[in-house]
Amino acid sequence: MNYKTHGQMSESILTAAFLSISGGLQDAYTYLFRGKVFANAQTGNIVLLSQNIMERNWHLVIHYMIPLVSFAIGIVAAEIIRTKFQRVQQIHWRQLVLIIEIFLLLFVGFIPENLNMLANAVVSFSCAMQVQTFRKVNGYAFASTMCIGNIRSGMESLCVFGRTRDKHILFKSLCYFAIIVMFAFGAGLGSGLISTFKFYTIWFSSILLFVSFLFMFIKEETSPRM
């Protein structure tokens, strides 16, 4: 057979790369500039939340509770969008999520420092929508806003390749490591930009998401295997 089918560009490595750079930048922004709060790594927020509960630092308990709750609500919001717009033909429902993310992060750039909790809540909400919406790259499960699952999957695939010498498994492993590198690059980029752009650093994340949005208009062609 020689016909081609349209693949899902939202699951391409190119789209995932820009999403991961954006995810790393968001985490660097909230942690380094918005009061030591993780936008994506909610495990870290839970550790800090628990520490402050034990030490009875109630103002810091709220500081870490708000992004956790916002992240949970963001998951719900992404699922509602998927349910209501999954069958829309004019635009992919994942693109709608990206549009919302882009405008939310643009808004964050205008939030003053004395409202850091609001800024962190909005970024965490946005991150949750992204991680819930974009969950595959080249058909493999991945996360664009955190690394622990990607590290586990990448190393597991590398171990399987060591036993089987299957090049497809090696490619799978390399995809995960590439995503991790992109996330790290985004975090480094964010930390470097903060000294110059301060509040507006988060707008670079919006730019990266907009690039991903544009990529999704491309019809990726794939040939069926025989």
Side-chain angles (χ1 to χ4, degrees):
M1 298 177 66
N2 57 9
Y3 66 85
K4 293 183 177 181
T5 58
H6 291 308
Q8 179 54 264
M9 195 61 186
S10 63
E11 297 179 6
S12 72
I13 187 68
L14 191 59
T15 303
F18 279 88
L19 290 172
S20 296
I21 296 171
S22 176
L25 193 154
Q26 291 168 42
D27 242 357
Y29 177 78
T30 56
Y31 189 80
L32 298 176
F33 189 71
R34 290 292 191 174
K36 307 295 183 182
V37 170
F38 293 104
N40 301 313
Q42 297 302 322
T43 302
N45 289 336
I46 291 173
V47 171
L48 295 169
L49 171 69
S50 300
Q51 174 194 355
N52 284 290
I53 289 175
M54 297 302 295
E55 295 176 356
R56 299 182 182 180
N57 296 325
W58 304 119
H59 65 291
L60 289 178
V61 168
I62 298 172
H63 187 68
Y64 291 108
M65 178 66 75
I66 287 177
L68 281 167
V69 173
S70 298
F71 193 91
I73 295 172
I75 298 291
V76 176
E79 278 299 291
I80 291 173
I81 293 171
R82 182 186 66 82
T83 301
K84 289 186 175 295
F85 298 99
Q86 193 170 18
R87 299 185 183 279
V88 173
Q89 298 296 319
Q90 291 81 0
I91 190 170
H92 198 286
W93 70 272
R94 290 188 175 98
Q95 288 177 295
L96 293 176
V97 171
L98 286 179
I99 290 172
I100 294 171
E101 273 196 86
I102 289 166
F103 281 102
L104 286 175
L105 297 180
L106 287 174
F107 168 67
V108 169
F110 292 110
I111 298 177
E113 193 171 3
N114 63 322
L115 293 176
N116 275 349
M117 280 197 290
L118 173 60
N120 291 329
V122 175
V123 178
S124 292
F125 178 88
S126 173
C127 289
M129 293 181 68
Q130 181 174 319
V131 76
Q132 180 66 12
T133 300
F134 298 92
R135 295 187 288 178
K136 288 186 178 181
V137 55
N138 287 342
Y140 312 134
F142 93 114
S144 64
T145 62
M146 58 193 72
C147 291
I148 186 169
N150 296 334
I151 294 172
R152 184 201 65 79
S153 298
M155 291 307 299
E156 179 186 41
S157 299
L158 195 60
C159 290
V160 173
F161 168 73
R163 295 195 306 269
T164 65
R165 299 299 174 182
D166 186 334
K167 291 183 179 179
H168 294 294
I169 300 299
L170 177 61
F171 177 74
K172 178 181 179 181
S173 177
L174 293 176
C175 283
Y176 284 116
F177 293 135
I179 294 302
I180 294 166
V181 170
M182 291 298 101
F183 184 92
F185 174 74
L189 179 65
S191 64
L193 292 172
I194 284 172
S195 59
T196 302
F197 295 97
K198 301 186 184 304
F199 296 97
Y200 310 124
T201 301
I202 196 65
W203 289 356
F204 288 90
S205 188
S206 290
I207 294 171
L208 291 164
L209 293 175
F210 183 66
V211 174
S212 296
F213 171 82
L214 294 178
F215 279 146
M216 289 181 63
F217 284 109
I218 300 172
K219 298 298 184 181
E220 186 180 50
E221 293 185 337
T222 58
S223 297
R225 294 179 181 176
M226 295 299 296

